[in-house]
Amino acid sequence: MNTLHIVMGAPAAGKTTYAKRLAKEKKASLIDIDSATERVVQAGLDLATKNPDDRDSPFFKDSFRAPIYETLFAIAKDNLCHNSVILVGPFTLEARDANWLENLKLRFGTSVCAHFITCDPETRHQRMAKRGNPRDLVKLEDWENYIQYYRGDNPPAFPHKYVNTSS
């Protein structure tokens, strides 16, 4: 039976790096939120005359969050009949739902394994600065307020593999 692996955590925690290694190890499809949806989201934000690098405003979350995640799940479903899937995204709201993992198991009819990726705020800050992604500029400019959203980096409310990628 193929497995759906959910790799989740804050931006710049190391999700993509971890997921790439996991995909190689499991010989699984890798579906990263950025690769799968970024260009469409930027185009939509541009058409709405909004900042194409915005990922934190109420407008972005109300307009794009649900469709982005449903797109990831649709791609995962298409691949799960062939092989295991590594699905990468923050999943911050979902992490608070103790039943989310069980609901995914029912939805996909397969086993689901969550991997919670975290690191200390200083490591996250250094990674964001180094990667130079325009989406991170607002976060870096107002780091103290931004980091409050992820302060504590609370682990999911369901069973998961805990991975700390701090330097």
Side-chain angles (χ1 to χ4, degrees):
M1 176 191 289
N2 295 323
T3 301
L4 175 61
H5 295 269
I6 304 290
V7 177
M8 58 197 309
K15 295 182 302 293
T16 300
T17 301
Y18 175 84
K20 286 178 179 178
R21 285 195 308 261
L22 185 64
K24 185 175 181 179
E25 173 190 320
K26 302 288 184 187
K27 296 179 178 39
S29 296
L30 173 64
I31 305 166
D32 186 282
I33 193 169
D34 293 334
S35 300
T37 65
E38 184 61 21
R39 286 160 190 85
V40 173
V41 170
Q42 285 182 336
L45 286 167
D46 193 45
L47 283 171
T49 65
K50 302 291 184 182
N51 179 350
D53 297 319
D54 167 36
R55 297 300 175 276
D56 298 305
S57 72
F59 177 83
F60 170 80
K61 291 177 182 177
D62 292 344
S63 302
F64 290 95
R65 189 181 192 286
I68 285 170
Y69 282 121
E70 286 307 311
T71 298
L72 294 178
F73 291 135
I75 298 169
K77 185 174 183 169
D78 287 346
N79 281 273
L80 277 167
C81 60
H82 305 291
N83 53 280
S84 292
V85 171
I86 314 297
L87 197 57
V88 185
F91 298 104
T92 48
L93 295 178
E94 294 77 6
R96 300 174 193 157
D97 179 357
N99 298 314
W100 188 61
L101 213 59
E102 286 303 315
N103 291 338
L104 286 178
K105 289 177 185 178
L106 293 172
R107 178 177 180 174
F108 291 101
T110 193
S111 60
V112 180
C113 181
H115 306 253
F116 177 66
I117 314 304
T118 188
C119 67
D120 62 84
E122 182 57 33
T123 298
R124 188 173 314 137
H125 186 271
Q126 290 171 0
R127 288 176 182 164
M128 274 191 191
K130 183 178 178 182
R131 70 186 182 184
N133 189 319
R135 289 176 304 162
D136 294 333
L137 291 178
V138 171
K139 297 173 180 84
L140 291 167
E141 288 170 2
D142 193 16
W143 183 253
E144 286 308 312
N145 283 328
Y146 171 74
I147 199 67
Q148 290 303 316
Y149 184 75
Y150 289 102
R151 182 77 63 201
D153 223 359
N154 294 325
F158 42 78
H160 60 277
K161 180 176 181 180
Y162 181 88
V163 180
N164 190 320
T165 65
S166 296
S167 298

